[in-house]
Amino acid sequence: MSRLPPFQRFLDAHAPRVWRYLAGMVGPVDADDCFQETFMAALKAYPALVPGSNERAWVLTIAHRKALDHLRARARRAVPTDAVPETPHHDPPPGEAEVWGRVRALPPKQRAALTLRYAGGLTHAEVALALGTSEEAARRSAHEGLKRLRADADADPAATADADHRPSSRTPAT
Amino acid sequence: MNPTDLPAPPLDRPALAEATARFTAAAAATGAADLVYAQLDSPLGRLVAVATPTGLAQLSYEDFRGGLDAVLEDLSVRLSPRIVEAPARLEDTQRQLEEYFDGRRTTFSIPLDWTLCGDFTRRILQATAQIPFGATATYGAMAAAAGNPKASRAAGRALGSNPIPIVVPCHRVIGTSGRLTGYTGGLERKIQLLQVEGISLG
């Protein structure tokens, strides 16, 4: 019979992927707030989680909701100006590939699909669970996002420098 | 550019460790976690201390309970899976234990939670908690204090299941004529605890 692990073990197992996902979605500065909200919500709902269910898809679904709430709140706070900045307003952290700054500038669906998959380490099927869409729609959003990144890079070859990696061992299988 | 894949963003481990510690501290402070735990050091070996918002519910000799994971999994099933590591919540317990082992403390003032005890066990253990530092009592006396003088065997079993040893001093309960019987952490520890309190049996 499978049982829920003690929450601390769940936290140890999933904190890194949640952190990566949130840093990709809202940026490393705001990731902390979203991280706190994600795990507090997970802790509250935890006893209702069915043992043996997909924990990483479950916790990233929560993280995704918190990230969207955060982005909406940020948009409401933003002061309207004539000039709309094309890129996020904070600098990428040291060591972060420049491409993630451009991922954060993608439309929300594409950004979420790419971030869940490449920062959260989910399969397309799990991305679909977290987004509440079909697997086909999740695949399409990721595909369109990648296409757009590629088009951006072609328009600005300087931007390709650190995005031109081949798949690493961390990258999930398709 | 051919970004068939994106490199995963780097993991800022110090920032993650800080965020995780802040989360567990908040979960403990707000009571969102039903249980908090910490591993404590003592001259009798590593202990696992577990507290509810009410108080200390368990103090286990780690080697006697199958290790930390076994302790946590047992609690997760018996009480709640909402359990996080929060050493700050158990600092006071750690400090009082240090003072006790250093001979600077004879009574503990730690709030207790009897949630892991049945009614009879709780009454036996509450009577046990009244035995002063440096004194001993018999199983029969504990049974009598719990309202059933004939239940000394049941008292022995209740003491053997004491979830909060040292703080609830079941080591002070001994057989008639000073015979040492069992102890939840092994007889060697019972002897060491009695020595801390200046009691030598022999």
Side-chain angles (χ1 to χ4, degrees):
Chain A
M1 181 189 133
S2 78
R3 290 172 172 154
L4 280 181
F7 192 82
Q8 182 68 44
R9 295 288 167 261
F10 171 88
L11 176 66
D12 294 340
H14 298 292
R17 84 173 63 243
V18 167
W19 183 270
R20 271 188 217 275
Y21 167 71
L22 291 171
M25 269 309 264
V26 302
V29 177
D30 293 338
D32 188 28
D33 280 349
C34 291
F35 181 90
Q36 305 298 327
E37 289 170 16
T38 296
F39 278 105
M40 201 54 87
L43 177 63
K44 285 181 180 146
Y46 191 62
L49 180 62
V50 177
S53 51
N54 189 332
E55 290 177 6
R56 62 182 193 171
W58 184 73
V59 75
L60 281 179
T61 302
I62 299 173
H64 177 62
R65 278 204 308 268
K66 297 300 178 189
L68 289 189
D69 289 350
H70 187 85
L71 293 171
R72 277 188 214 109
R74 192 196 279 168
R76 277 198 301 275
R77 281 196 309 271
V79 181
T81 62
D82 290 340
V84 180
E86 280 288 310
T87 49
H89 44 77
H90 42 68
D91 295 332
E96 188 190 76
E98 176 274 345
V99 69
W100 282 98
R102 289 187 292 119
V103 172
R104 283 195 286 278
L106 290 173
K109 270 188 198 166
Q110 298 172 14
R111 164 167 45 178
L114 288 182
T115 311
L116 284 166
R117 178 147 169 75
Y118 294 101
L122 298 189
T123 64
H124 283 303
E126 290 168 330
V127 172
L129 272 179
L131 295 178
T133 63
S134 68
E135 187 175 338
E136 180 47 38
R139 263 180 208 281
R140 199 166 49 239
S141 295
H143 177 74
E144 282 165 6
L146 287 175
K147 206 164 81 181
R148 187 140 171 181
L149 289 178
R150 199 177 303 135
D152 287 354
D154 289 343
D156 176 14
T160 66
D162 46 16
D164 208 9
H165 288 252
R166 303 306 303 166
S168 72
S169 58
R170 263 201 318 258
T171 310
T174 309
Chain B
M1 176 186 177
N2 183 23
T4 47
D5 286 292
L6 289 172
L11 184 58
D12 184 346
R13 290 195 179 274
L16 173 60
E18 234 176 78
T20 305
R22 193 154 45 239
F23 164 73
T24 52
T30 59
D34 297 321
L35 299 168
V36 300
Y37 75 91
Q39 292 175 289
L40 310 181
D41 290 316
S42 88
L44 302 188
R46 184 69 76 88
L47 306 168
V48 184
V50 184
T52 68
T54 305
L56 185 66
Q58 186 168 342
L59 188 63
S60 291
Y61 295 106
E62 200 175 286
D63 57 357
F64 243 69
R65 291 298 194 103
L68 175 64
D69 280 336
V71 169
L72 299 183
E73 272 156 33
D74 173 63
L75 287 167
S76 183
V77 172
R78 289 170 70 192
L79 293 181
S80 166
R82 287 195 189 111
I83 177 165
V84 300
E85 184 174 16
R89 270 287 314 282
L90 290 150
E91 259 170 21
D92 187 48
T93 298
Q94 168 84 72
R95 185 179 51 79
Q96 292 196 30
L97 285 168
E98 280 165 16
E99 291 168 358
Y100 169 81
F101 283 110
D102 285 354
R104 289 181 288 125
R105 171 176 287 277
T106 57
T107 58
F108 290 102
S109 59
I110 296 170
L112 301 180
D113 187 333
W114 302 98
T115 184
L116 287 167
C117 305
D119 189 51
F120 179 74
T121 299
R122 196 192 73 240
R123 279 185 284 136
I124 293 283
L125 294 179
Q126 283 174 332
T128 302
Q130 303 302 314
I131 308 168
F133 180 93
T136 59
T138 63
Y139 292 96
M142 290 304 97
N148 190 348
K150 288 181 180 160
S152 64
R153 274 177 181 281
R157 281 195 298 277
L159 286 155
S161 73
N162 177 12
I164 322 171
I166 309 174
V167 174
V168 176
C170 59
H171 58 275
R172 293 175 195 154
V173 183
I174 58 179
T176 45
S177 73
R179 197 165 43 86
L180 284 188
T181 51
Y183 182 64
T184 176
L187 269 188
E188 188 54 37
R189 286 188 170 122
K190 186 165 186 171
I191 293 164
Q192 284 178 280
L193 285 166
L194 291 171
Q195 279 169 350
V196 166
E197 304 192 12
I199 303 166
S200 57
L201 298 138

